Amino acid sequence: LSDLYPNSLGIEHSIASLVNIQRSSDGTVKLLLKLNNRATRNTHSANDDGNDVYEQPEQHYFIESVIIPWYDRSNPTSTLCVSTQVGCAQGCTFCATGKMGLLKRLSSDEILIQLYYAKKICRISNDSSAWLPDIDNIVFMGMGDSGDNAEAVIEACSIMADRQCFSIPQNKITISTVGPNPGVFQTLGKADAVLAWSVHAVEDTLRKKLVPTTKYKMVDLKEGLIKALMGRSRRMRALMLEVTLIEDVNDGIKEAEEMVDFCLEMKERVKGMKLVVNLIPFNDIGHRSYRRSPDSHVAEFQRVLVENNLKTYVRTTRGDDENAACGQLATKKLKGKQY
């Protein structure tokens, strides 16, 4: 990287600068990075119509990453949530990033610099009262959708897992996507990582409400995912299904039973599949009608799945007091003199 970015101030200033650190009451740390667009590789890409998209060098873009420490474990470690884009094209109605629209796809270097800074901060913090355990788990669940930036995500995963680089085990890297199309699962399946599908609902009309940009029926997306999993080694046939639960929208018994049928069919067809359902109570983003699913609704939803032998966890909310929780990441684009 030093040869690619011959900046006298080093890699940090060449790819991105760390401009702000926020720490929440539970120890979660949110990083704000300013991208140096002029020095970044891959400064143009193709949009969904196949047309070239060029980022203008005078624009200043910012991304957020989140370090989530787990102090309660016998061997404390941290999870890093990385971003793949500035903004997001998917427009999920429960997500702050979706409100931004897609401003820029990150290069693999711009993804990796997030891990570089996070590991540096963890290392430096060892000598302070604000100690952060080292990172041993990466989730591509920050700003943007991995399926809309697959090439850079796959390259970044390869370098993260490389023993000569960051040496993160493949089963400790998770790539999340809403599944913009059935083929994206096979593309992302080439990565050295576990797959995660941000599904949120399996009934087409309801899912269209939550993910308004979806163009495919769930049965078609499911077929694409099954094909991708069947093409992976048994060791990598792991899948996380993510469900953001919103009160009286998708947190009822009916939706839970639909999820059961959906999951059991996949488990039956994909031999050796390791499936985990991750329930995520909605985090406030200022939506006029969405409310966090009550604990009682979440528990009932989980009960329905567990009673059908589906491994199900409720994601612990972390960093919400600093807008660092799932669905709350968003930045602003500044131009020229405004910066």
Side-chain angles (χ1 to χ4, degrees), residues 172-202:
K172 292 286 189 177
I173 305 173
T174 302
I175 300 173
S176 178
T177 179
V178 299
N181 60 72
V184 77
F185 297 112
Q186 283 186 280
T187 302
L188 291 176
K190 301 173 185 176
D192 300 323
V194 174
L195 296 180
W197 186 10
S198 294
V199 64
H200 309 300
V202 299

Side-chain angles (χ1 to χ4, degrees), residues 69-110:
W70 302 101
Y71 296 111
D72 56 346
R73 297 176 178 173
S74 56
N75 181 28
T77 58
S78 294
T79 293
L80 176 66
C81 180
V82 299
S83 295
T84 60
Q85 298 170 309
V86 181
C88 182
Q90 296 306 319
C92 296
T93 56
F94 50 84
C95 179
T97 310
K99 294 181 177 181
M100 297 173 60
L102 176 59
L103 302 178
K104 184 185 189 300
R105 292 178 173 89
L106 301 187
S107 68
S108 57
D109 298 337
E110 291 167 331

Side-chain angles (χ1 to χ4, degrees), residues 98-168:
K99 294 181 177 181
M100 297 173 60
L102 176 59
L103 302 178
K104 184 185 189 300
R105 292 178 173 89
L106 301 187
S107 68
S108 57
D109 298 337
E110 291 167 331
I111 295 172
L112 291 166
I113 198 70
Q114 299 170 64
L115 177 55
Y116 170 89
Y117 273 118
K119 288 184 71 68
K120 180 177 181 178
I121 289 170
C122 290
R123 185 171 65 252
I124 294 173
S125 74
N126 283 335
D127 299 326
S128 70
S129 59
W131 168 63
L132 285 168
D134 194 19
I135 291 161
D136 81 332
N137 191 46
I138 311 289
V139 293
F140 283 73
M141 299 179 185
M143 299 169 64
D145 188 281
S146 299
D148 286 331
N149 196 17
E151 183 179 345
V153 167
I154 292 170
E155 183 178 2
C157 286
S158 177
I159 296 172
M160 289 176 177
D162 192 322
R163 293 187 178 183
Q164 300 300 315
C165 297
F166 292 102
S167 195
I168 304 292

Side-chain angles (χ1 to χ4, degrees), residues 289-309:
S289 60
Y290 285 176
R291 297 291 179 269
R292 184 185 185 89
S293 185
D295 291 345
S296 59
H297 290 201
V298 176
E300 275 296 289
F301 200 105
Q302 183 180 30
R303 178 189 62 79
V304 173
L305 272 63
V306 171
E307 287 182 352
N308 285 275
N309 298 314

